[in-house]
């Protein structure tokens, strides 16, 4: 069954209220028609679909998850988690605590149209200039597989501008700042008293006032559960409706790509996928863009091994799945003697950037941001100190209303052994090997985390905290690096356009192309890279070279 | 996502919260075991100002989650055995020490992974802890106190208007194996 959509882009995505799971949306494109096939509809894939279709290039957009829209979302942490999270079987290994506490949930990302942009928190800092060249700037760091990007900030700047304008980043291009919520009042006053200066309520990809057809935030406090209002940018509310309205995009939800096929010359020529009923399809392809996030993208390339590409598609370097990064993260939750009610308002509309710098005198390379963060009672209980019980644990819970929270997010070191592989011993619902995610902190990551915790202690102590609890990293929300970009084919998987070194019409369009992770929340950079890549693909198609 | 017994703190199936308990069969708890379970929950997750009702609802959820085998029932019997026959007669400190002795067992993993979700997903508990739950249906907090904290001054929300931040302090220096500057 095909369902057609019309009218202008709305604030909440569009989708009839009832639909069979096998429904597709937008244009009709024959499976035999070699077209641009985009796998994944999140920050990377959704952006590429919009940018190509607005230039008149037909695209099939495959999305493994369902088509949820604002009215479907639940202001309830566990209900939303069941509804949106990527819960397909995964395994973990390595010394990271996630492997002990949450062995089958290495990453907390979304399986739905719009991908993880439907639950991202919203912070939009850019990479810093030196973060594109850390191998040169940081020098050799034992155990770190550092490499300079084949790109510079100067080259990315116009694309960052476009991405910020598309996303409506506050504090940028005339977009006003969001107001201070309760959690920010504690955070920013603490920052000021601790001697920090570079704090603000953004840049942040949620409207402070109506913009681009989307309303202003109502400060409802639900971000990781999907934004019911549409004030927050996502590909669900911006890029995908516009792609569908272009008449050139067919969106196929509930369609899970299982293999990329290629012809005798080594060019990609199709994508095999399973629909909601488990039926196998094959969409012919002229160009394939893989944007399944940094666990599924390398998994798909590895699953696409053939006699011509025995180690997996685009893997002559052996780097597919390697250099998995998840950002150095940690959280600090401070208790006060007066109410905070951190859960009210935009979750991450507060950023301190003073520590986002490379300053070797701190004892580690790279830098980090501090950003406001709140969890509701249900998730606070599960994540504040996983495995904990007894009086210490309930003391944290009893102080919930008087608690302020922050997230610490910084650059982590790429390591070849931190890696996504196929687990041949565990099969998914389709009988395919599940991905295993192996991760161990680098000593640089540990040193940076300790520095961040100490900074959080200073910030909160300066405004009267009774105690500050250090929470370990959650299941990864920033998943990066498993198909990294490199100048030389032997060093990485894709070139400066995200095109596979080994396969001339295969692109990777998500955060897995990141050569190194920087300190910045990655969504803005993924969108900017995808815009740039789509422009390149459109030019190459026009020139007949793809 | 599935839980593994070897891991004491796997995120439980979200369906543990949302599934109807009426569709589970298997073995229930004896009255004695149910009493020990309730005492266990009050000791391991002590909130003196909570009434019994949220603990009783949580105990029911734990009981339902434990119906597939004897892990729960046996573990509760074991608590009594370790307490010379009456776990419920121990004071809080002694009961806590005893629980610590079984904290690494599949039994406690089952109790903990279910409780940490069910107890804190209970709306009465939300009220007790000062969490307001769903808000979009009430218009969010825009006019309901998203910025009502009054014990600190209103901070700046714009970015710092002084000199730009220095992003690169020192580009020199090689590093040792521990990542520290050499």
């Amino acid at each position: 069954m095909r369902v057609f959509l019309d009218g202008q882009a709305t604030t909440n995505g569009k989708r009839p209220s009832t639909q069979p799971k096998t429904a597709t949306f937008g244009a009709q494109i024959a499976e035999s028609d070699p077209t641009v096939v985009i796998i994944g509809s999140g920050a990377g894939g959704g952006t590429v679909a919009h940018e190509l279709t607005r230039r008149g290039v037909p695209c099939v957009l495959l999305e493994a998850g369902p088509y949820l829209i604002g009215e479907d979302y639940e202001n309830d942490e566990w209900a939303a988690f069941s509804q949106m999270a990527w819960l397909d079987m995964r395994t973990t290994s390595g010394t990271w605590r996630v492997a002990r506490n949450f062995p089958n949930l290495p990453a907390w990302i979304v399986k739905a149209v719009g991908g993880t942009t439907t639950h991202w928190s919203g912070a939009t800092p850019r990479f810093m200039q030196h973060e594109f060249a850390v191998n040169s700037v940081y020098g050799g760091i034992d155990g770190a597989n550092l490499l300079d990007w084949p790109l510079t900030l100067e080259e990315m700047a116009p694309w960052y501008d476009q991405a910020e304008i598309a996303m409506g980043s506050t504090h940028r291009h005339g977009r006003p700042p969001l107001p201070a919520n309760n959690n920010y009042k504690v955070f920013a006053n603490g920052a000021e008293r601790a001697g920090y200066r570079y704090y603000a309520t953004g840049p942040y990809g949620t409207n402070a006032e109506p913009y681009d057809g989307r309303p202003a935030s109502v400060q409802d406090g639900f971000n990781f559960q999907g934004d019911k209002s549409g004030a927050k940018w996502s590909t669900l509310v911006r890029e995908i409706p516009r792609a569908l309205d272009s008449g050139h995009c067919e969106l196929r939800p509930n369609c899970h790509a299982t293999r990329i096929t290629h012809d005798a010359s080594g060019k990609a020529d199709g994508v095999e996928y399973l629909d909601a009923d488990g039926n196998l399809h094959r969409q012919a392809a002229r160009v394939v863009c893989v944007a399944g996030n940094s666990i599924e993208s390398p998994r798909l390339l590895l699953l696409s091994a053939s006699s011509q590409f025995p180690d997996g598609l685009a893997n002559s370097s052996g780097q597919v799945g390697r250099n998995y990064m998840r950002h150095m993260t940690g959280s600090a939750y401070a208790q006060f003697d007066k109410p905070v009610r951190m859960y009210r308002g935009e979750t991450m509309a507060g950023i301190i950037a003073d520590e986002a710098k490379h300053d070797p005198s701190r004892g580690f390379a790279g830098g980090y941001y501090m950003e406001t963060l709140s969890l509701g009672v249900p998730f606070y209980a599960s994540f504040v100190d996983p495995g904990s019980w007894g009086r210490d644990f309930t003391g944290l819970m009893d102080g919930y209303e008087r608690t302020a929270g922050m997230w610490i997010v910084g650059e982590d070191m790429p390591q070849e052994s931190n890696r996504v592989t196929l687990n041949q011993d565990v099969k998914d619902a389709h009988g395919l090997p599940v991905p295993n995610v192996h991760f161990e902190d680098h000593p640089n990551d540990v040193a940076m985390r300790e520095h961040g915790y100490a900074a959080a202690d200073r910030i909160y102590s300066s405004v009267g905290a009774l105690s500050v609890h250090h929470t370990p990293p959650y299941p990864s929300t920033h998943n990066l690096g498993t198909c990294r970009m490199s100048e030389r084919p032997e060093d990485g998987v894709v070139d400066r356009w995200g095109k596979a070194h080994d396969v001339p019409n295969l692109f990777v369009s998500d955060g897995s192309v990141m050569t190194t992770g920087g300190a910045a929340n990655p969504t803005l950079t993924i969108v900017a890279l995808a815009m740039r890549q789509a422009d390149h693909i459109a030019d190459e198609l026009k020139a007949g070279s793809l | 996502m599935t839980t593994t017994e070897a891991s004491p703190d796997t995120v439980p199936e979200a369906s543990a919260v949302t599934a109807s308990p009426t569709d589970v069969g298997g073995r229930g708890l004896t009255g004695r075991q149910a009493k020990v379970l309730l005492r266990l929950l009050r000791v391991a997750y002590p909130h003196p100002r909570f009434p019994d009702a949220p603990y009783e609802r949580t105990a029911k959820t734990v009981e339902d989650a434990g119906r597939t085998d004897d892990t729960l029932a046996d573990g509760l019997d074991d608590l009594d055995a370790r307490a010379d026959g009456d776990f419920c007669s121990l004071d809080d400190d002694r009961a806590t020490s005893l629980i610590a002795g079984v904290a690494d067992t599949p039994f406690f993993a089952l109790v903990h992974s279910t409780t940490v979700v069910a107890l804190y997903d209970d709306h009465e508990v939300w009220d007790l802890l000062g969490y307001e739950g769903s808000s979009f249906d009430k218009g969010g907090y825009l006019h309901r106190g998203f910025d009502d904290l009054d014990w600190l001054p209103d901070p700046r929300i714009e970015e710092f208007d002084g000199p730009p931040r220095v992003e690169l302090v020192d580009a020199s220096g090689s590093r040792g194996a521990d990542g520290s500057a050499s």
Side-chain angles (χ1 to χ4, degrees):
Chain A
M1 176 181 167
R2 309 265 177 175
V3 180
F4 297 95
L5 299 168
D6 54 41
Q8 298 303 304
T10 68
T11 57
N12 254 342
K14 294 182 295 185
R15 187 216 59 192
S17 56
T18 59
Q19 52 164 338
K21 283 188 168 180
T22 50
T24 67
F25 300 85
Q28 285 181 295
I29 297 175
E31 290 186 355
S32 58
D33 181 5
T35 187
V36 177
V37 184
I38 302 165
I39 301 163
S41 64
T47 297
V48 169
H50 170 53
E51 295 295 331
L52 287 178
T53 55
R54 77 182 179 87
R55 291 167 170 86
V57 177
C59 297
V60 167
L61 182 56
L62 300 176
E63 168 52 53
Y67 199 167
L68 304 171
I69 61 173
E71 66 189 53
D72 301 319
Y73 294 146
E74 306 224 32
N75 269 194
D76 180 301
E77 290 182 313
W78 282 118
F81 183 79
S82 302
Q83 178 185 54
M84 302 170 68
W86 188 290
L87 298 176
D88 294 17
M89 184 61 178
R90 288 169 168 168
T91 60
T92 50
S93 57
T95 55
W96 57 329
R97 188 164 160 183
V98 166
R100 173 158 51 97
N101 295 137
F102 310 108
N104 303 121
L105 190 71
W108 180 18
I109 58 176
V110 171
K111 185 177 183 180
V113 171
T116 302
T117 66
T118 61
H119 93 154
W120 76 306
S121 44
T124 61
R126 296 184 180 193
F127 265 53
M128 294 174 272
Q129 184 173 17
H130 69 268
E131 289 178 323
F132 287 101
V134 295
N135 192 43
S136 302
V137 174
Y138 298 170
I141 296 179
D142 286 353
N145 193 23
L146 292 177
L147 184 70
D148 291 352
W149 288 60
L151 284 177
T152 63
L153 180 62
E154 186 179 19
E155 187 170 358
M156 286 300 295
W159 302 103
Y160 272 133
D161 285 339
Q162 283 197 36
E164 287 161 351
I165 291 166
M167 298 162 80
S169 293
T170 63
H171 301 80
R172 300 287 180 269
H173 312 287
R175 304 265 58 75
L178 280 153
N181 62 26
N182 291 335
N183 203 20
Y184 179 79
K185 287 186 182 181
V186 179
F187 178 82
N189 276 290
E192 181 71 29
R193 294 184 196 181
Y196 291 130
R197 294 293 173 267
Y198 299 95
Y199 60 84
T201 57
Y204 192 75
T206 296
N207 290 343
E209 63 180 25
Y211 171 70
D212 200 30
R214 295 184 285 116
S217 171
V218 295
Q219 304 280 353
D220 68 13
F222 286 88
N223 287 264
F224 306 140
Q225 294 70 33
D227 172 29
K228 292 181 76 69
S229 80
K232 179 175 294 294
W233 173 87
S234 68
T235 58
L236 178 75
V237 299
R238 186 179 189 273
E239 280 69 20
I240 290 168
R242 294 177 191 194
L244 295 176
D245 283 345
S246 75
H248 300 298
C249 180
E250 180 172 345
L251 169 65
R252 299 179 190 162
N254 300 301
C255 289
H256 189 122
T258 54
R259 194 160 74 107
I260 299 165
T261 61
H262 62 81
D263 64 18
S265 75
K267 286 183 70 173
D269 65 358
V271 175
E272 294 177 353
Y273 66 94
L274 294 158
D275 69 17
D277 296 330
N279 295 316
L280 183 66
H281 297 254
R282 181 178 180 278
Q283 174 64 52
R286 181 179 179 188
V287 172
V288 175
C289 296
V290 183
N293 209 313
S294 292
I295 297 176
E296 291 303 315
S297 287
R299 180 189 184 212
L300 181 61
L301 295 179
L302 295 172
L303 286 172
S304 302
S306 65
S307 55
Q308 194 173 337
F309 298 103
D311 298 323
L313 204 55
N315 195 24
S316 67
S317 65
Q319 295 292 309
V320 169
R322 292 188 185 273
N323 313 303
Y324 169 71
M325 295 173 286
R326 59 186 305 254
H327 271 152
M328 183 292 300
T329 69
S331 305
Y333 291 98
Q335 271 190 30
F336 296 85
D337 59 357
K338 295 188 248 337
V340 176
R341 300 189 185 96
M342 65 176 170
Y343 58 85
R344 293 182 179 177
E346 286 295 336
T347 308
M348 201 168 270
I351 299 174
I352 300 169
D354 296 64
E355 300 286 0
K357 61 185 177 186
H358 175 61
D359 176 1
S361 72
R362 293 180 299 179
F364 56 88
Y368 63 90
Y369 294 92
M370 290 171 274
E371 299 169 349
T372 54
L373 182 66
S374 168
L375 299 175
V377 158
F379 272 24
Y380 193 64
S382 280
F383 293 105
V384 69
D385 191 3
S388 172
W389 57 277
R391 290 182 195 116
D392 288 347
F393 170 69
T394 53
L396 292 170
M397 299 308 302
D398 283 330
Y400 178 79
E401 193 174 17
R402 296 175 283 107
T403 298
M406 73 159 74
W407 200 43
I408 303 160
V409 54
E411 180 167 24
D412 61 337
M413 291 294 109
Q415 301 178 73
E416 275 204 309
S417 53
N418 285 343
R419 186 177 182 193
V420 174
T421 55
L422 301 180
N423 185 339
Q424 300 292 348
D425 297 328
V426 184
K427 299 290 163 56
D428 70 9
H430 309 302
L432 298 168
V434 305
N436 183 73
V437 183
H438 180 91
F439 186 85
E440 306 197 353
D441 274 328
H442 187 277
N444 196 78
D445 309 341
V446 176
M448 186 191 292
R449 184 176 296 115
E450 289 306 315
H451 194 275
Y453 284 147
D457 291 349
R458 279 199 313 280
I459 289 166
Y460 286 133
S461 296
S462 74
V463 282
L466 305 175
S467 62
V468 183
H469 179 77
H470 299 165
T471 288
Y474 312 113
S476 315
T477 52
H478 298 176
N479 298 273
L480 308 167
T482 50
C483 300
R484 74 176 183 178
M485 193 179 274
S486 66
E487 191 68 52
R488 304 188 311 162
E490 55 267 43
D491 292 331
V493 179
V494 299
D495 71 7
R496 62 200 319 277
W497 302 106
K499 184 167 76 175
H501 287 300
D502 301 344
V503 183
N505 61 340
L506 173 65
F507 291 79
V508 181
S509 311
D510 60 22
S512 54
V513 304
M514 291 198 182
T515 310
T516 52
N521 308 57
T523 300
L524 176 76
T525 300
I526 294 170
V527 171
L529 287 168
M531 287 175 156
R532 177 176 167 277
Q533 178 185 78
D535 190 64
H536 174 76
I537 290 172
D539 285 349
E540 295 287 298
L541 285 170
K542 193 185 267 181
S545 49
L546 264 180
Chain B
M1 179 173 52
T2 59
T3 58
T4 60
E5 288 190 346
S7 175
D9 196 42
T10 305
V11 165
E13 298 277 1
S15 59
V17 177
T18 55
S20 162
T22 59
D23 60 2
V24 292
R27 177 181 161 186
L29 299 178
T30 65
R32 174 66 201 172
Q33 289 163 343
K35 191 178 170 201
V36 172
L37 176 58
L38 194 58
R39 174 66 183 154
L40 166 62
L41 297 185
R42 285 226 73 133
V43 173
Y45 306 92
H47 292 282
R49 63 197 173 101
F50 286 13
D52 281 335
Y55 288 102
E56 289 166 355
R57 286 189 288 271
T58 299
K60 183 71 170 61
T61 305
V62 174
E63 181 176 354
D64 289 337
R67 281 176 192 270
T68 51
D69 60 31
D70 294 333
T71 303
L72 179 63
D74 290 351
L76 293 166
D77 289 345
D78 178 54
L79 284 180
D80 260 348
R82 286 167 181 254
D84 296 329
D86 189 3
F87 176 75
C88 299
S89 70
L90 301 182
D91 65 25
D92 288 356
D93 286 344
R94 290 183 61 208
T96 300
S97 305
L98 200 151
I99 294 166
V102 300
D104 293 333
T105 61
F107 157 70
F108 191 73
L110 169 66
V111 171
H112 178 73
S113 64
T114 310
T115 300
V116 79
V117 173
L119 182 60
Y120 300 102
D121 209 35
D122 187 294
H123 289 209
E124 186 178 358
V125 165
W126 292 2
D127 289 341
L128 289 160
L129 295 178
Y131 177 59
E132 297 170 89
S134 175
S135 77
F136 180 75
D137 53 343
K138 303 177 187 74
Y141 294 107
L142 185 61
H143 306 296
R144 296 190 312 123
F146 82 100
D147 61 350
D148 64 357
L149 186 148
D150 59 4
W151 49 272
L152 287 168
D154 285 339
R156 166 168 58 79
I157 59 174
E158 296 280 3
E159 292 178 300
F160 184 57
D161 61 2
R165 167 174 117 247
V166 175
E167 298 176 345
L168 190 55
V169 175
D170 180 4
S172 67
S174 59
R175 288 173 181 281
D178 64 355
S180 63
S182 56

